[in-house]
Amino acid sequence: MIFATGLICDSARGACGKGRPRVHFFFQELLNGLVLGSIYALVALGLALVYGTMGIPNFAHGHLYMFGAYAAFAAITVLHAPYWPAMILAVVCLAVLGAVVERVVFRPLRKAPEVNAIIAAIGLLFFLEAVARLIWGSDFRVLPTPYDKVVNLFGFIATQQQLIVIAAAFVLMGALFYFLKRTLLGSTIEAVAQSPAGASLVGIDADRVATLVFAISSGLAAAAATLIASISLIFPEMGFVVLLKAFAVIVLGGMGSIPGAIAGAFILAFAESFSAAYISTSYQDVVAFGLLVIILAIKPTGLFTRAT
Amino acid sequence: MLEVRGLTVRYGSADVLSNVDLTIGTGEVVTLLGSNGAGKTTLFCVLSGLVRPSAGTVTFMGEDLARMRAGRIVEHGIAQCPEGRKLFPQLSVEKNLMLGGYVHRRDRRAMKQSFESIIALFPALEAKLGAPAGSLSGGQQQMVAIGRALMARPKLLLLDEPSLGLAPLVLQQTLAAVAAINSTGTMVLLAEQNAYAALAIAHRGYVISDGRIVLEGTAAHLRQNDDVRRAFIGA
């Protein structure tokens, strides 16, 4: 596949080599799974947040992620911004774009049947892809990173960028969790999700919460895209692949559940990573989605009940 | 003071409220008696800014509420404890209460004072502060719902069917709490089907039927009224 897995696994597997002990090989795959799971989690968290709060399955989320990658790419190649300021710029740009999307596309459809929002999201998806193709063309691109050195970590081989992906993803997940659980503003998101009428009665503005949710969701997608774009590729259709995975993750975790999105992301990533390593890269999606089908057959509502 | 004049709410061609006049004076507890579907909850929704009136005026402390957003109305001093409570079931009791003071969130000292006064009013909640609101008994949830509304430091408290699903003893405790809230100067509009309980603490009352006010008077007057006794007290 074109998305992260192949590149991460192949490079790491090559470095690891067949002569290494099996236990090292296992932990190497664990590391690859962690990298992939970190990205899935950041993307799926945004999707779960929007669905859990507003009931919108945002099919354009993958394309907002794609725009995040291009925003970082433009910041580095056109503005010559260093890596971290480029990421911050991409996150801010996508947060603003997410807020605009909520205001212009989804808010007018708030009281319309759910299918209208779904169709609008699909329309937005194609619009964003067309705009990206118009600006950046259809070529594959790689985000330049200063963190391209290979490090040996207790005998395991990883690139600096892989370690940054994991660390940054966990910092962002921790920050989101803190915001939702420990701040009054974050609690308003959960309040609107659990009782919109109750939220209105205490003076919470549901429109502002919706804008905030879309901004956070899109910002997280931009962060994920910037993190992975240095070890993967940037291209206009990259949103489709990640969207499919992110939806699988939130269905697996329980629609709208934040802990479920995190757990689902790592389950899917480890399933892909280990099946690619121990069976074949050709079967990694078969195993991962097979596992999804089995888990849903046993627990149709997903692993976690909705917690937001 | 709250003054409602000629209030009409129309859904399609049907008038849910029709030419309603109602006033609440400073320090009063006013009850709104009516059966299911009479229009009590719609009137409350208008007063909270959730439903826009088709005609008529609603003024509170001299300001027109009819076009005001819900959040602005809470800031202006009207808080509602709705029918069915509408709590945030998975959030803790403490968070439910703190969210009640959302419009005053920048005044942390005042929020802390309000929180402490609510715990003093409902001491049973102190041991439950960390529990999800949805896990509490009906009576305790009612305390959280009233407490959440009080966190907004309202001048007028709207209570919609607080007796719903409560055991008689718990209802007595709830109404005693309402009387205590009123003793601090807070106006109360109490919508109830349980007229016996509501008239026990109200100064005045209105009877609403099919979206129209059909009777009004002092609590003593309504308690003696044969129609009220037949329809709501069962005597």
Side-chain angles (χ1 to χ4, degrees), chain B residues 21-23 28-33 189-190 198-199 202-208 213-222 228:
Chain B
D21 291 337
L22 180 146
T23 58
E28 273 192 317
V29 176
V30 172
T31 186
L32 185 64
L33 304 175
L189 177 59
L190 174 63
L199 290 171
H203 299 105
R204 290 189 303 115
Y206 294 83
V207 177
I208 186 168
I213 299 292
V214 292
L215 189 64
E216 65 175 282
T218 63
H221 169 74
L222 291 177
V228 172

Side-chain angles (χ1 to χ4, degrees), chain A residues 180-185 187-188 190-192 194-209 306-308, chain B residues 48 50 69-72 74 78-82 85-91 95-96 98-103 105 111 148:
Chain A
L180 291 175
K181 300 292 177 190
R182 294 272 180 266
T183 69
L184 199 60
L185 186 61
S187 298
T188 62
E190 293 195 285
V192 169
Q194 292 177 24
S195 175
S200 291
L201 288 172
V202 299
I204 296 170
D205 186 335
D207 288 343
R208 278 192 197 167
V209 169
R306 191 174 128 170
T308 53
Chain B
S48 290
L50 302 180
R69 288 170 70 96
R72 185 79 187 85
V74 179
I78 298 180
Q80 185 184 156
C81 173
R85 298 161 198 137
K86 306 282 192 291
L87 294 177
F88 312 121
Q90 292 160 37
L91 295 184
K95 229 172 226 182
N96 268 271
M98 295 311 281
L99 282 166
Y102 179 72
V103 294
R105 61 193 175 281
M111 274 184 77
R148 188 180 69 176

